[in-house]
Amino acid sequence: MIDSEKSVTPAVLDVMARAPDARLREIMDSFIRHLHAFARETRLSEGEFEQGIDFLNRIGQATNDSHNEGVLFGDITGLSTLVCLINNGDAGATETAAALLGPFWRMHSPPTENGGSIVRSETPGPALFARVQVVDPVGAPIAGVEVDVWHASPVGMYDIQDDAQVAMNMRGKFITDADGWFWFRSVKPAGYPIPTHGPSGELLRAQLRHPLRPAHLHFLCYKTGHKTLISQVFVADDPHIESDVVFGVTKPLLGDYVRRDDAPPAPDVTTPWFSLQHRLVMEPGEASLPAPPVK
Ligand code: BEZ
Ligand code: FE
């Protein structure tokens, strides 16, 4: 029988140890030990406990088909990046092109020929021509990789947040050629604020944190026999490159976006335009797709 504060934790660990699934046992054992230690360390008050439960409930209530508050919370607390770096780069041993997925990846991006544009409705901003090569860890090109590309419009919103954009604006699915390359046209991405109407925004305001992400493109590379690579490529001179609200920037993710004042590659392009050449390294492993955070 529980006779004091001290005997609660062993009692809970004891019942959790009876779960038949070994991984569930391991996770819940660690979770309970850390959760109880957190309450002890902070001397959590009853009011604060209520506030925490309310916060958790509101994360769920704010989540719907077009908004994922749970992912946002994982992102602003650094947990998403931590889990990413634990699980990529040879389990954290080496540099990796992997980055957090974020709450805006959608399944079924429109298949697009190499060289095609992902600007599907009127979108401001200088033209961007990107060429990206997908290689394995020894630098050998990987042909036939399915690559989803997505990014926010320079007005600061994804298609799913903005009635002024057609569905799937700034999204496309490409296939790498025999030398591992895919290439496309878009507009240069700009920095933008993450959604702050929910509990995550409340937390940011209470901590006097800005809500901004530095400008970036997202990639998801999928091919059987390779670990699915989720990556981002950042504009290195963005003013918020050192203070990404979701802790997503690492050195291998800095992109070489070059301002170009020479003759543009298409007649409807004005100068200046931008080019980007980048390389993404896929590790060996299993191909699997994440659960889409939004529909
Ligand atoms: C994104 O880059 O799409 C993103 C990542 C984390 C939170 C919000 C947005
Ligand atoms: Fe983004």
Side-chain angles (χ1 to χ4, degrees), residues 2-157:
I2 291 168
D3 57 4
S4 74
E5 168 267 308
K6 288 197 174 46
S7 52
V8 178
T9 305
V12 177
L13 292 176
D14 188 52
V15 292
M16 297 220 166
R18 297 176 206 157
D21 184 288
R23 182 63 175 156
L24 178 65
R25 279 202 307 277
E26 183 182 7
I27 285 179
M28 289 312 298
D29 180 82
S30 175
F31 183 68
I32 294 298
R33 282 188 291 102
H34 285 87
L35 191 66
H36 287 208
F38 152 76
R40 287 197 172 89
E41 184 181 310
T42 60
R43 303 302 308 168
L44 197 68
S45 74
E46 288 155 317
E48 288 160 346
F49 178 55
E50 268 176 34
Q51 208 181 334
I53 297 288
D54 178 59
F55 190 86
L56 209 57
N57 288 340
R58 288 186 298 109
I59 288 177
Q61 287 156 1
T63 297
N64 55 49
D65 283 353
S66 59
H67 178 79
N68 196 316
E69 189 71 23
V71 169
L72 267 187
F73 183 65
D75 295 343
I76 66 160
T77 52
L79 186 60
S80 307
T81 290
L82 176 61
V83 171
C84 169
L85 296 181
I86 289 170
N87 285 283
N88 289 280
D90 199 10
T94 64
E95 235 184 35
T96 176
L100 56 80
L101 178 69
F104 292 118
W105 176 65
R106 297 175 76 179
M107 277 263 198
H108 312 304
S109 282
T112 309
E113 288 293 317
N114 276 317
S117 177
I118 59 171
V119 182
R120 304 183 192 279
S121 60
E122 202 178 323
T123 308
L128 171 72
F129 290 82
R131 285 182 61 82
V132 183
Q133 190 185 29
V134 183
V135 299
D136 70 12
V138 294
I142 312 176
V145 181
E146 284 178 42
V147 185
D148 277 13
V149 178
W150 71 105
H151 69 100
S153 139
V155 301
M157 283 185 281

Side-chain angles (χ1 to χ4, degrees), residues 72 75 100 102-104 150 158 192 194-195 213 216 218 232 246:
L72 267 187
D75 295 343
L100 56 80
F104 292 118
W150 71 105
Y158 283 82
Y192 63 86
I194 66 167
R213 296 218 68 203
H216 58 275
H218 293 264
Q232 301 184 25
V246 296

Side-chain angles (χ1 to χ4, degrees), residues 24 84 90 122 125 144 163 175 195 231 236 279 288 293:
L24 178 65
C84 169
D90 199 10
E122 202 178 323
D163 291 340
I175 311 268
S231 189
R279 178 178 260 216
S288 68

Side-chain angles (χ1 to χ4, degrees), residues 252-275:
L253 307 184
L254 298 179
D256 191 17
Y257 293 78
V258 180
R259 179 189 156 126
R260 305 283 295 264
D261 293 289
D262 51 329
D268 61 327
V269 174
T270 52
T271 49
W273 55 285
F274 286 80
S275 60

Side-chain angles (χ1 to χ4, degrees), residues 144-275:
V145 181
E146 284 178 42
V147 185
D148 277 13
V149 178
W150 71 105
H151 69 100
S153 139
V155 301
M157 283 185 281
Y158 283 82
D159 58 340
I160 201 164
Q161 302 172 285
D162 183 7
D163 291 340
Q165 296 178 53
V166 295
M168 299 293 173
N169 190 39
M170 317 265 94
R171 295 179 191 268
K173 187 186 284 294
F174 297 85
I175 311 268
T176 58
D177 72 4
D179 298 315
W181 290 95
F182 66 97
W183 59 102
F184 60 95
R185 175 176 172 176
S186 189
V187 292
K188 188 186 182 218
Y192 63 86
I194 66 167
T196 54
H197 62 275
S200 303
E202 259 170 51
L203 183 61
L204 294 181
R205 285 186 289 278
Q207 296 176 325
L208 304 181
R209 290 165 63 188
H210 74 66
L212 297 167
R213 296 218 68 203
H216 58 275
L217 299 174
H218 293 264
F219 299 106
L220 186 153
C221 304
Y222 180 94
K223 185 176 181 183
T224 307
H226 302 266
K227 187 174 193 304
T228 299
L229 173 67
I230 295 163
S231 189
Q232 301 184 25
V233 178
F234 289 90
V235 175
D237 61 2
D238 186 288
H240 298 101
I241 200 73
E242 296 283 359
S243 66
D244 181 6
V245 64
V246 296
F247 311 97
V249 183
T250 62
K251 230 183 179 169
L253 307 184
L254 298 179
D256 191 17
Y257 293 78
V258 180
R259 179 189 156 126
R260 305 283 295 264
D261 293 289
D262 51 329
D268 61 327
V269 174
T270 52
T271 49
W273 55 285
F274 286 80
S275 60

